[in-house]
Amino acid sequence: MSKLKQEQSIAKRVTLIGAIWDAILGLAKIVAGYFSQSQALIADGIHSLSDLVTDVFVYFAASNARQAPDANHPYGHLRFETVATVFLGLILVAVAIGIGYQSISAQTQAQFTWYGVAAILATIVVKEAIFHYTKKAGEEINSKLLIANAWHSRSDALSSIAVLIGLIGVYFGYPWADMLASIVVAVLIGKMAIGMMWESLTELVDTAPDPKLIEQIKETANSLKNVMAPHDVRARSMAGKIYLDMHIHVPSHASVSEGHYLGDLVIYTIKKAHPQVEDVMVHIDTDDKIQIADTLHSQNGKPEHLKLPARHQILADLGFLLRQHTGYLDIPNTRLHYLGNTLELELIADASKTPEDSNLQQLVARINQDLLTTAYISKATVLWQFPSA
């Protein structure tokens, strides 16, 4: 089973268990509130049933958000969780307003009943247990929606404590305590919903994650040998997971394959040290750019090294300039090193194909002499290959 499928299965199972308990507790509190004429207890029952609504949202969001990337969603479907969280918050704000209005306009007087107290105590115990169960699962799969739903369960427990205080106030002759507790429930729901929506909206507009986390990620990359000065780090969040792109410096004469190796090493190390990082895109810079980074761009914004010719043009120039040496030079496999605004070459030569009785040092001197007419080549090194014995 893939990682996304496992996460989807966990989210659905946890949410379904929470939904069953929300239905049981919500109905129990509404019935107890009706016979007790307690608006706060009825409001708390509605709160529990609103948890059931959110559980349905979370269940279907988990079913869609944890699908693998496809052609239309190359970054995956995790933003489904974010959008679902915003809608969830809107529903909860409406619920909070309705509870507050009902508690103020109600004409009935609450009565203290032991079955009402029993329903409240059961809610506090069960919802706190659901909170820890759901939060642990959300942290395990890095699901912000599941963690938000866990805190929603805890808010139900907290609001139930407020209702319990209200009923105790009624018992001691303070009937207004029930209305006050009901308003507290509404405020708790509204505050939680607004916070949930705000966090999700900031994610939808690609607000950067915590700067401290970004610095920790840069330190992780910088701790590797031959990887220097991570910079230009950009990150976005998707349902609690982080998608990252960054530049790193590697030794200036590193080959393409070594640069690729170091890039993959950075990706592996970051994802291992920071499990919330889902994907990393690494851009390779050479270490010579560390010192000249401020001078790489001309006034028109074009990097200085891009003013140098590309490989196909360089090989064409070499083919003409070194036409007398093509018998033993492997010009197509010439290694190019773009270092700042200069270019260094490594020419591959087969010593067995040189003219008989040739002096290799003299051949190198002639090659460098033939290259003097090119203004863009700062250095050329000839790498001789000798036949095996």
Side-chain angles (χ1 to χ4, degrees), residues 88-369:
L88 172 60
L90 290 172
I91 291 174
L92 293 177
V93 168
V95 169
I97 293 173
I99 290 174
Y101 176 78
Q102 180 64 26
S103 65
I104 294 173
S105 60
Q107 300 297 319
T108 57
Q109 185 172 347
Q111 298 177 5
F112 179 90
T113 59
W114 289 109
Y115 48 81
V117 173
I120 290 296
L121 291 175
T123 297
I124 294 171
V125 173
V126 173
K127 296 297 285 187
E128 185 66 15
I130 292 175
F131 162 74
H132 288 286
Y133 176 59
T134 307
K135 184 171 181 287
K136 181 180 179 181
E139 291 173 344
E140 180 182 345
I141 66 174
N142 286 321
S143 171
K144 293 177 70 176
L145 181 59
L146 209 56
I147 293 173
N149 205 32
W151 281 102
H152 190 196
S153 294
R154 171 163 275 190
S155 75
D156 198 2
L158 294 175
S159 65
S160 294
I161 293 175
V163 173
L164 180 61
I165 295 172
L167 288 178
I168 293 174
V170 170
Y171 179 78
F172 285 102
Y174 302 100
W176 50 264
D178 181 71
M179 181 185 71
L180 180 62
S182 185
I183 294 174
V184 169
V185 171
V187 171
L188 285 172
I189 298 173
K191 182 178 182 297
M192 180 270 301
I194 292 172
M196 184 188 304
M197 286 193 298
W198 177 256
E199 186 175 356
S200 296
L201 288 172
T202 58
E203 181 177 305
L204 286 175
V205 296
D206 285 338
T207 302
D210 186 354
K212 292 182 179 179
L213 175 60
I214 299 301
E215 285 302 316
Q216 291 172 357
I217 291 173
K218 290 170 66 175
E219 289 174 5
T220 298
N222 205 32
S223 67
L224 297 171
K225 290 184 178 180
N226 296 318
V227 175
M228 297 153 283
H231 62 288
D232 290 346
V233 179
R234 298 187 300 177
R236 64 177 69 179
S237 297
M238 291 190 189
K241 298 184 182 296
I242 294 175
Y243 288 73
L244 184 76
D245 55 75
M246 66 190 308
H247 290 229
I248 63 171
H249 291 279
V250 302
S252 56
H253 284 83
S255 64
V256 173
S257 60
E258 184 183 0
H260 181 74
Y261 168 84
L262 292 173
D264 282 351
L265 181 61
V266 168
I267 293 171
Y268 170 79
T269 305
I270 288 176
K271 293 175 73 172
K272 184 177 181 181
H274 308 278
Q276 66 271 54
V277 176
E278 181 71 13
D279 185 67
V280 185
M281 177 66 69
V282 176
H283 177 89
I284 304 296
D285 292 329
T286 53
D287 61 0
D288 65 289
K289 293 182 183 178
I290 299 177
Q291 286 76 29
I292 61 174
D294 294 334
T295 61
L296 278 178
H297 293 78
S298 59
Q299 290 183 352
N300 63 5
K302 186 177 182 180
E304 289 291 333
H305 63 282
L306 291 185
K307 295 179 180 180
L308 296 169
R311 182 179 185 85
H312 69 279
Q313 182 61 55
I314 294 170
L315 294 184
D317 291 346
L318 293 178
F320 175 75
L321 294 171
L322 302 178
R323 57 190 179 277
Q324 296 181 5
H325 309 277
T326 54
Y328 56 89
L329 283 181
D330 185 5
I331 292 178
N333 285 321
T334 299
R335 298 170 187 168
L336 309 180
H337 296 284
Y338 290 88
L339 305 176
N341 56 0
T342 63
L343 180 71
E344 294 185 9
L345 306 180
E346 290 182 0
L347 296 164
I348 311 299
D350 188 342
S352 66
K353 294 181 180 181
T354 58
E356 193 173 348
D357 298 329
S358 295
N359 183 294
L360 298 186
Q361 290 183 343
Q362 291 178 353
L363 291 178
V364 171
R366 287 173 54 192
I367 290 172
N368 280 288
Q369 184 67 31

